[in-house]
Amino acid sequence: MTSREIRNRFLSFFERRGHAVIPSASLVPENDPSVLFTTAGMQPLVPYLLGTPHPKGKRLVNVQKCVRTQDIEEVGDNTHDTFFEMLGNWSLGDPASPDGIGEGGYFKEEAITWSYEFLTSKEEGLGLDPKRLYVTVFEGDENAPRDTESAEIWKSLGIPAHRIYYLPASKNWWSPGDNGPCGPDSEMFYDLTEKGLGDMTHEEYLAADDRQDVVEIWNDVFMEYEKKDGKVIGKLANKNVDTGAGLERLAMVLQGKRNVFDTDLFSQLMVETKKITEDMRAERVIADHMRTATMMIADGVTPSNTDRGYILRRLIRRAVVKAGGTLMPEHVSATICAIVETYKGVYVNVLENKERIAEEINREIEKFSGSVAKGMKEFEKLAKTGVISPVDAFILFSTYGFPIEMTEELAKERGIMVDKTGFETEFKKHQELSRAGAEQKFKGGLSDTGEKTTMLHTSTHLMLAGLRKFLGEHVHQAGSNITTERTRFDFTHPEKVPREILDKVEAYVNEAIGKGCAVVVEQMPKEKAKKTGVEGSFWEKYPDMVNVYAVKSEDGTVYSQELCGGPHVENTRTIKGTFKIIKEEASSAGVRRVKAVLE
């Protein structure tokens, strides 16, 4: 079964069971400063899991693009990759609460039953052998009881009790981080061995999992708890279901492969990477990193020394090192063409941005290739001493462009430790902007919905409208981070913005604040929003019905009209202070950054 067939079967299966199909959100999270990338299917739906009504109803299904790089050193084995697609279906709220749009919510019984049916049904699902399935459930702890309910449902479907394993929270409790909805989960594993493993004791099962003889193919999360600052603080108002099945692993199972790189999601790409190197692990790493870089750039990320751009830069440069120090433009073009062909008709922005993707990757490779050989020579000289000091690590970064993680990885291969804390101290001394350590959280941000942050959020909308008014309609949001002290806003523009233009933008925002404009939200069809000139980025990630926030004065002037998830002030007269742009600078190629305050 091809990956396209798996996607289509999954969406059709749940659509027939009352689920609305929604598009994948962007890899760049909207109004979520807690993470740099969309790392899970549920992440874009957190407001709805916490109780906000979704315009499509209580039952949803989609295929979500995700990026995770915390296991980057594992890429090249059988199952790890940095970009992946998550098949997911959701129930938002209790079954007893119909939404007036479609079917009501559901919980454990329906979720588990449908998971089993989709996995095993030859007519509607994947037709997997139920005799090769193993199931895990939550064993219970001080936060929640032992999940015997899920175990009983699995037994009623025909899974023997001795193939249901109770595991601790480290294995069977899911949350997106230290804050937000969370809960126990039940995971499904499939036997990949040729002859089959048959019945296994608890210890035998754990050993099979470690050997990757069984792989996780689905996860049903029962979100009925809330976590704050790392602690479970109680139950949510509603019970929610969040399920996830990794497309790459399902393709591996259904196509009879022992690793994801032999599936049709990578097959065309691997043909090209085999022309670059003869080392199998390096081939896989290059394929993975080029695929992830392509998807990131298609969603608006560009290489830089900070935040998302830093992670993209690290991926590209790591691929260059694995390729022996350079990637020729013809190799880049061939790999991108293979990726475009694989995802043609699935993610349209990959094809639409094909040329820009190649330009960004080639530009980054050109920057790095000139110094990588000298950098490797310097690294080898340092490695022979058996010590790489924090100053050495910083020189490798600042002079030769080696991300600290790359230096750590190369040193580890030679049994040398790198003092990362010392490196970061050196880093701060030189006033660099990078967050060494990659996927760290922003400090503060819109996840803080306090009064000051909300005032700055509405002011930021007005600022974007002002920038578009005085610079042109090519200006779009490219990222934002809002704290109680300031707003930091990235936007598309090719050159430095003159101070006189920034003054005009300030005046525009302060005029809207002074007029006491109402801030109103309206739900409207996405196509109507587009046609009426509503501002928004990554339109493809929004559902058919969207929330449009408008800032309107009593004389009829519309100062801002933009897609958003909120929150905002109800009237601009409640915004305290004068809006002031205090800094304007380059963020990355073709992207400018401003910082502004209310003072």
Side-chain angles (χ1 to χ4, degrees):
M1 189 179 295
T2 68
S3 56
R4 287 177 184 268
E5 289 173 323
I6 297 170
R7 283 193 203 94
N8 293 336
R9 281 202 165 218
F10 181 79
L11 295 174
S12 297
F13 180 92
F14 284 97
E15 190 173 26
R16 286 192 290 269
R17 287 157 178 79
H19 292 65
V21 178
I22 59 174
S24 171
S26 169
L27 288 173
V28 179
E30 180 196 15
N31 292 336
D32 183 358
S34 64
V35 288
L36 297 182
F37 292 101
T38 299
T39 60
M42 58 76 65
Q43 195 175 315
L45 295 172
V46 166
Y48 308 108
L49 292 167
L50 291 174
T52 301
H54 194 283
K56 284 288 190 176
K58 289 183 179 291
R59 297 187 181 188
L60 307 173
V61 62
N62 84 338
V63 181
Q64 174 62 48
K65 299 179 289 186
C66 300
V67 163
R68 294 180 193 168
T69 60
Q70 65 266 37
D71 295 325
I72 192 170
E73 292 182 17
E74 304 299 322
V75 171
D77 68 1
N78 289 343
T79 60
H80 283 89
D81 41 23
T82 53
F83 169 85
F84 59 97
E85 296 174 84
M86 189 62 73
L87 314 182
N89 60 284
W90 292 272
S91 170
L92 308 175
D94 297 329
S97 306
D99 53 30
I101 299 173
E103 300 281 353
Y106 54 86
F107 205 48
K108 291 183 180 180
E109 184 167 0
E110 293 90 342
I112 291 173
T113 300
W114 289 337
S115 294
Y116 180 78
E117 287 179 356
F118 180 71
L119 289 174
T120 60
S121 170
K122 294 182 179 179
E123 291 75 27
E124 289 188 284
L126 305 181
L128 293 174
D129 183 357
K131 294 180 180 179
R132 286 180 172 262
L133 279 177
Y134 302 87
V135 173
T136 64
V137 294
F138 180 54
E139 72 176 14
D141 61 14
E142 69 276 8
N143 293 316
R146 188 177 178 89
D147 193 3
T148 55
E149 181 184 357
S150 291
E152 291 302 318
I153 296 169
W154 281 114
K155 284 191 275 187
S156 73
L157 294 170
I159 300 294
H162 55 269
R163 289 200 177 196
I164 302 171
Y165 306 97
Y166 286 92
L167 296 178
S170 59
K171 295 285 188 180
N172 279 76
W173 183 277
W174 201 93
S175 68
D178 287 338
N179 296 281
C182 59
D185 64 23
S186 181
E187 301 180 2
M188 290 133 269
F189 289 76
Y190 197 73
D191 179 356
L192 294 179
T193 63
E194 184 177 350
K195 295 182 179 180
L197 296 168
D199 295 339
M200 291 186 285
T201 66
H202 191 279
E203 292 70 24
E204 288 171 339
Y205 164 77
L206 293 177
D209 185 17
D210 288 341
R211 296 191 305 269
Q212 295 188 326
D213 285 341
V214 295
V215 295
E216 179 191 340
I217 55 174
W218 206 334
N219 184 7
D220 289 349
V221 183
F222 307 114
M223 289 191 172
E224 53 179 325
Y225 297 89
E226 184 173 6
K227 185 184 282 190
K228 187 173 183 180
D229 298 329
K231 295 182 179 180
V232 176
I233 60 172
K235 289 198 171 186
L236 296 169
N238 294 316
K239 294 179 178 179
N240 305 296
V241 172
D242 162 28
T243 83
L247 176 62
E248 284 76 7
R249 291 193 181 186
L250 283 177
M252 184 175 74
V253 169
L254 289 160
Q255 294 169 20
K257 309 298 183 183
R258 287 304 299 264
N259 72 83
V260 296
F261 298 97
D262 286 342
T263 69
D264 67 341
L265 290 163
F266 278 98
S267 55
Q268 294 184 65
L269 183 53
M270 291 300 292
V271 168
E272 300 304 328
T273 59
K274 288 179 187 295
K275 299 174 184 176
I276 300 171
T277 177
E278 295 181 354
D279 181 275
M280 183 185 73
R281 183 112 185 180
E283 291 169 6
R284 293 177 174 183
V285 170
I286 295 167
D288 171 85
H289 291 7
M290 289 295 287
R291 184 175 76 147
T292 304
T294 294
M295 294 297 180
M296 284 182 178
I297 296 169
D299 276 0
V301 182
T302 53
S304 72
N305 271 348
T306 60
D307 303 328
R308 300 180 185 95
Y310 177 79
I311 295 173
L312 173 58
R313 169 162 286 169
R314 181 186 174 196
L315 288 169
I316 296 172
R317 293 190 175 191
R318 195 166 184 266
V320 170
V321 171
K322 296 296 181 182
T326 188
L327 273 171
M328 302 302 292
E330 55 266 30
H331 289 148
V332 172
S333 176
T335 56
I336 293 173
C337 285
I339 295 165
V340 167
E341 187 63 29
T342 300
Y343 292 96
K344 186 170 61 180
V346 180
Y347 301 116
V348 295
N349 63 342
V350 176
L351 176 59
E352 290 173 351
N353 291 285
K354 178 181 175 182
E355 291 183 4
R356 185 172 66 83
I357 292 166
E359 288 173 2
E360 290 287 357
I361 292 176
N362 281 322
R363 186 182 299 117
E364 181 63 20
I365 291 171
E366 185 177 354
K367 286 181 182 178
F368 185 50
S369 293
S371 61
V372 66
K374 293 178 182 177
M376 287 300 297
K377 186 176 180 180
E378 178 68 16
F379 174 84
E380 294 296 347
K381 184 173 74 175
L382 293 168
K384 287 178 181 178
T385 70
V387 177
I388 296 178
S389 71
V391 173
D392 293 333
F394 183 76
I395 290 172
L396 286 169
F397 170 79
S398 60
T399 304
Y400 302 105
F402 279 36
I404 180 61
E405 296 85 359
M406 184 185 298
T407 299
E408 284 185 303
E409 190 176 338
L410 291 168
K412 185 178 178 181
E413 292 173 0
R414 291 157 177 79
I416 302 171
M417 296 296 293
V418 176
D419 181 359
K420 190 171 182 180
T421 302
F423 167 83
E424 289 173 349
T425 300
E426 290 296 320
F427 199 92
K428 290 174 184 176
K429 284 181 184 176
H430 289 77
Q431 299 180 328
E432 294 290 339
L433 298 175
S434 169
R435 282 191 179 96
E439 289 173 343
Q440 300 181 32
K441 296 181 179 180
F442 286 106
K443 302 301 180 185
L446 196 57
S447 56
D448 167 14
T449 56
E451 181 183 14
K452 290 183 178 179
T453 310
T454 302
M455 289 191 294
L456 274 167
H457 185 204
T458 303
S459 300
T460 302
H461 272 233
L462 290 167
M463 179 175 65
L464 174 57
L467 289 166
R468 286 172 57 80
K469 176 181 176 69
F470 296 111
L471 291 177
E473 294 187 358
H474 65 281
V475 172
H476 299 286
Q477 177 178 333
S480 69
N481 173 232
I482 303 172
T483 71
T484 56
E485 290 82 26
R486 55 94 183 115
T487 178
R488 187 184 72 199
F489 187 77
D490 292 356
F491 59 95
T492 52
H493 187 64
E495 58 191 11
K496 185 174 180 61
V497 181
R499 184 66 234 185
E500 56 266 28
I501 296 295
L502 297 178
D503 291 341
K504 290 181 180 180
V505 173
E506 282 181 5
Y508 182 84
V509 175
N510 288 315
E511 179 182 304
I513 292 173
K515 278 191 174 183
C517 300
V519 181
V520 296
V521 59
E522 179 185 358
Q523 281 198 347
M524 66 175 66
K526 181 166 64 175
E527 291 306 315
K528 178 183 176 183
K530 279 186 176 180
K531 290 177 182 177
T532 54
V534 172
E535 168 60 6
S537 301
F538 309 116
W539 284 86
E540 70 276 5
K541 75 180 180 180
Y542 288 96
D544 293 337
M545 293 293 293
V546 295
N547 289 335
V548 176
Y549 279 84
V551 181
K552 300 180 180 179
S553 68
E554 290 184 356
D555 63 14
T557 303
V558 178
Y559 282 91
S560 170
Q561 194 174 28
E562 188 176 345
L563 297 185
C564 189
H568 286 280
V569 300
E570 293 184 0
N571 191 290
T572 59
R573 70 167 57 92
T574 64
I575 296 176
K576 300 172 184 176
T578 301
F579 186 79
K580 181 71 175 176
I581 297 174
I582 59 174
K583 190 172 185 180
E584 191 274 347
E585 60 188 356
S587 173
S588 59
V591 177
R592 305 299 296 179
R593 170 172 291 174
V594 293
K595 293 181 181 179
V597 296
L598 286 167
E599 59 180 25

